[in-house]
Amino acid sequence: MSENRSAWAMGYATFAGVILVIGGIFQAIAGLVGIIEDEFFVVGQEWVFEFDATTWGWIHLLIGLLPVLAGIGIFSGTVLARTVGVVVAGLSAIANFMWLPYYPVWSIVIIALNIAVIWALTAHGRDLANDDQ
């Protein structure tokens, strides 16, 4: 049985996959910067989450690679890929909240994009699925 697919819904779900891939690459690059040159990031205020820049680099490298894989999986349209995408976007939002003292504007932008991804995948992700699934 075939449903009519909304072009808007397809666009939002595709947006989610693309943002996961691009955002993941950006986070991985920020992670590499923290690992290679830990003096690059400067803490403005003291927060509860006291990690050095190298530790944050490893966190962002890992949290950057996971969305890339999840974003690629989104285009398969499977429930598992969408679920992983939502979980990874949630983890990325949490990590970027903790990253606020280092790069506040960037962190807020990434948190907002992660929320948009979660909404797109939960509200419209099934529209990417094939008719035979």
Side-chain angles (χ1 to χ4, degrees), residues 42-95:
V42 179
V43 180
Q45 294 180 338
E46 298 295 322
W47 279 42
V48 175
F49 313 110
E50 294 286 332
F51 296 127
D52 67 354
T54 304
T55 303
W56 275 117
W58 284 107
I59 291 170
H60 277 279
L61 182 60
L62 272 174
I63 297 219
L65 294 177
L66 291 175
V68 170
L69 297 174
I72 292 168
I74 294 300
F75 297 110
S76 70
T78 64
V79 174
L80 177 63
R82 291 192 318 262
T83 303
V84 169
V86 168
V87 169
V88 166
L91 288 173
S92 176
I94 292 167

Side-chain angles (χ1 to χ4, degrees), residues 29-39 41 53-58:
I29 290 170
L32 286 174
V33 169
I35 293 168
I36 295 168
E37 182 57 53
D38 63 351
E39 300 293 319
F41 297 111
T54 304
T55 303
W56 275 117
W58 284 107

Side-chain angles (χ1 to χ4, degrees), residues 6-20 71 74-75 77 82 116-117 119-129:
S6 163
W8 283 95
M10 290 288 291
Y12 285 133
T14 302
F15 165 82
V18 169
I19 288 299
L20 280 170
I74 294 300
F75 297 110
R82 291 192 318 262
V117 164
W119 174 78
L121 292 178
T122 56
H124 303 294
R126 73 177 136 330
D127 292 320
L128 277 177

